Amino acid sequence: MWSRESLEAMGERWTGRVQRARDAIRPFRRRIVMFLAVVGPGLIVSNVHNDAGGIYTYAQSGAKYGNSVLWSLIPMTIALYVSLEMCSRMGAFTGKGLSDLVREEFGFRVTFFLMAAILLVNLGNVMSEFTGVFWASENMGVSRFISVPIAAVAVWILVVQGTAKWVERIFLTFCVVYFSYVISAFLAKPDWLISLLHLFPPHLMQYVPTMKQFVQVPKFDAQYAVILAALVGTTIAPWQHFYLQAAVVEKRVGPRQYPTTRNDVIVGSISCMVIVFFIIVCTAATLYVQGIHDIPDAQTAAIALRPLAGKLASLLFSIGLLNASLFAASILPLSTSYVVCEALGFESGIDRKFGEAKIFYTLYTSLIFLGAFLVLALGKFANTILLWSQVLNGFLLPPVLIFVLILVNRRDLMGEQVNSKGFNWVAWISTIAMIGLTLVVAYTSIHDLFVHPASGIR
């Protein structure tokens, strides 16, 4: 039996432990509170491009080359962080969006043509997201003619009727749902040690005697290079840079809060690649092992998982695809509206009412419903739509990255916050590599569209 004295003594011990724990975390409490206050833009923008096109590309790369593409995730994480960090830094230290700075520094004519290109490219991207919606819903037994209109209305209401803080919380919830891919990967029962080993370049690991027998070394030919280029092209998109900088400005992040925003970008970049890792591992452990090396779309990947990893894995893959498509279908039109309105001097922002920002909301509404309508009308060309969106992203990314690098190194604009020499080396090498790879994707995609119209990434 417990006596009163023993209970009091136990209570005192636990009180002491709680107090010691509080004392231990007190130095970090302010940092944690600050991080939670500004977290969002970096995490959201890094993960949102794990969309329908991205998931299809990741699934195809895992099915075709197994674990042998995993090594590319580490340099991709660095490249994603470097490009997004520069935009978040410019937003925090100038208080202006990227399209604002482009207009001020390069003139209205350059800005107008850039905005027109972004509008066209992002309409294609919105169409590819609604393509992902009907792929996922039809795998779950729901017709596209029901799911796509419902999805369009839902994402429209989300932004038009919500505040910036509420919308950001919903977007962060979307990020959490990506972990359905983690569960799918575990249900696929891969050899985790072999998968982790392939985070190192297999073409080098084959020369380590103790590792050679465990490493899968693909032929480094044109098709392998295209898959690597497609992985980069679907992970790093031009519109991400505009959205992130606009979001940093709208949250009123200044120089004092910037270190926390930079941590947000780091967390977002790493979490994005973790999700990509699990998608590739899932398809490598199922489709690749069973000899299914070519999948026409992400819906087929989800269906193919059923006999190999179970109905639950297939369902979770479809849920992840639907979540990714809805997430991107919400943000892409929003990003486009921010970019165009900033550049042309119109009022913009989720916290403004419809009457205060008519152009902003009209553009957002038009992109959503036009994109949804075109997907329903042109559904049989789903793969072509997705492929063209990748092509257009590939063409637009190089000038955007060059604009970012020129602006962030302007001392009259950024003061002491220009890139250091070391960071500039990393940034330019990453940018040149991304430009080269995305041009490879663009060229190959155009070749496939005209030479093999029914093909995807091969």
Side-chain angles (χ1 to χ4, degrees):
M1 294 291 293
W2 295 100
S3 66
R4 180 177 179 181
E5 290 79 10
S6 64
L7 289 173
E8 288 177 349
M10 186 183 294
E12 289 175 1
R13 286 198 299 273
W14 277 105
T15 301
R17 290 172 183 170
V18 170
Q19 187 59 47
R20 286 194 295 273
R22 286 178 177 174
D23 292 341
I25 66 171
R26 185 171 287 126
F28 305 100
R29 189 182 302 169
R30 185 174 178 275
R31 293 182 184 180
I32 294 170
V33 171
M34 180 70 76
F35 179 75
L36 292 175
V38 301
V39 71
L43 187 62
I44 289 168
V45 82
S46 298
N47 282 280
V48 72
H49 218 247
N50 289 337
D51 57 357
I55 290 164
Y56 167 55
T57 302
Y58 308 144
Q60 176 73 324
S61 62
K64 191 172 183 64
Y65 289 102
N67 291 317
S68 67
V69 295
L70 291 174
W71 68 271
S72 65
L73 299 188
I74 293 176
M76 279 169 57
T77 304
I78 296 170
L80 179 63
Y81 166 72
V82 165
S83 63
L84 294 182
E85 188 278 336
M86 291 187 290
C87 289
S88 65
R89 188 174 0 130
M90 283 195 290
F93 285 91
T94 67
K96 296 177 181 179
L98 182 55
S99 52
D100 257 345
L101 294 178
V102 170
R103 185 188 72 240
E104 291 177 4
E105 301 299 324
F106 299 100
F108 182 80
R109 182 176 297 179
V110 171
T111 306
F112 176 81
F113 285 111
L114 182 62
M115 294 307 105
I118 287 172
L119 193 60
L120 176 63
V121 169
N122 282 359
L123 175 60
N125 287 331
V126 171
M127 291 171 65
S128 74
E129 306 317 331
F130 284 115
T131 299
V133 169
F134 84 64
W135 278 347
S137 63
E138 290 192 345
N139 190 44
M140 293 186 283
V142 180
S143 168
R144 73 185 69 175
F145 296 101
I146 297 174
S147 62
V148 171
I150 290 175
V153 172
V155 297
W156 181 82
I157 291 174
L158 171 66
V159 170
V160 173
Q161 299 300 318
T163 63
K165 185 174 289 187
W166 183 74
V167 169
E168 189 174 89
R169 286 173 181 169
I170 297 296
F171 287 165
L172 289 171
T173 304
F174 277 130
C175 291
V176 173
V177 181
Y178 278 117
F179 282 94
S180 62
Y181 290 117
V182 177
I183 301 172
S184 288
F186 276 97
L187 290 172
K189 299 178 181 178
D191 188 325
W192 291 106
L193 290 177
I194 296 296
S195 298
L196 292 171
L197 180 62
H198 281 83
L199 288 174
F200 300 96
H203 296 86
L204 297 179
M205 294 301 290
Q206 66 177 321
Y207 297 109
V208 180
T210 55
M211 300 296 180
K212 184 177 180 179
Q213 60 180 318
F214 304 110
V215 176
Q216 172 197 347
V217 185
K219 183 181 178 182
F220 207 114
D221 55 11
Q223 291 189 359
Y224 187 70
V226 167
I227 281 290
L228 294 180
L231 286 171
V232 174
T234 55
T235 304
I236 305 171
W239 65 266
Q240 289 173 298
H241 303 80
F242 289 94
Y243 179 83
L244 176 60
Q245 192 161 330
V248 167
V249 171
E250 187 168 33
K251 292 197 78 168
R252 296 180 176 84
V253 174
R256 186 179 176 186
Q257 298 85 18
Y258 170 68
T260 309
T261 297
R262 183 180 58 211
N263 292 339
D264 178 34
V265 174
I266 293 172
V267 171
S269 301
I270 293 173
S271 66
C272 171
M273 292 307 158
V274 168
I275 299 302
V276 175
F277 172 82
F278 281 108
I279 295 172
I280 293 174
V281 167
C282 178
T283 52
T286 51
L287 305 183
Y288 177 80
V289 170
Q290 295 295 322
I292 304 172
H293 300 317
D294 194 18
I295 52 176
D297 52 52
Q299 180 185 8
T300 303
I303 293 171
L305 284 176
R306 286 180 191 167
L308 304 174
K311 290 183 179 179
L312 180 58
S314 176
L315 177 62
L316 288 171
F317 196 93
S318 296
I319 290 172
L321 175 60
L322 180 61
N323 170 77
S325 301
L326 288 172
F327 189 15
S330 304
I331 289 196
L332 275 162
L334 190 60
S335 169
T336 311
S337 301
Y338 270 123
V339 170
V340 174
C341 290
E342 269 182 10
L344 303 182
F346 297 116
E347 294 291 344
S348 63
I350 303 173
D351 278 335
R352 298 184 183 276
K353 301 297 182 185
F354 196 96
E356 299 172 336
K358 291 180 181 177
I359 301 296
F360 176 80
Y361 284 112
T362 299
L363 189 56
Y364 180 77
T365 302
S366 301
L367 282 167
I368 288 176
F369 290 105
L370 180 59
F373 170 77
L374 290 175
V375 163
L376 290 177
L378 305 172
K380 63 181 180 179
F381 303 108
N383 272 10
T384 304
I385 292 169
L386 192 146
L387 209 55
W388 267 112
S389 72
Q390 292 179 9
V391 172
L392 295 173
N393 275 321
F395 280 129
L396 187 57
L397 183 60
V400 170
L401 290 175
I402 291 170
F403 280 136
V404 168
L405 275 163
I406 291 172
L407 290 168
V408 81
N409 282 296
R410 288 281 296 269
R411 196 167 289 276
D412 59 329
L413 186 67
M414 297 294 292
E416 295 301 313
Q417 296 303 317
V418 295
N419 285 350
S420 65
K421 277 189 176 180
F423 196 94
N424 249 346
W425 272 104
V426 175
W428 275 109
I429 290 171
S430 300
T431 300
I432 291 169
M434 285 188 286
I435 289 171
L437 287 171
T438 49
L439 289 177
V440 168
V441 167
Y443 168 78
T444 308
S445 299
I446 290 174
H447 181 269
D448 282 345
L449 285 168
F450 291 105
V451 178
H452 305 292
S455 70
I457 298 171
R458 291 190 177 278

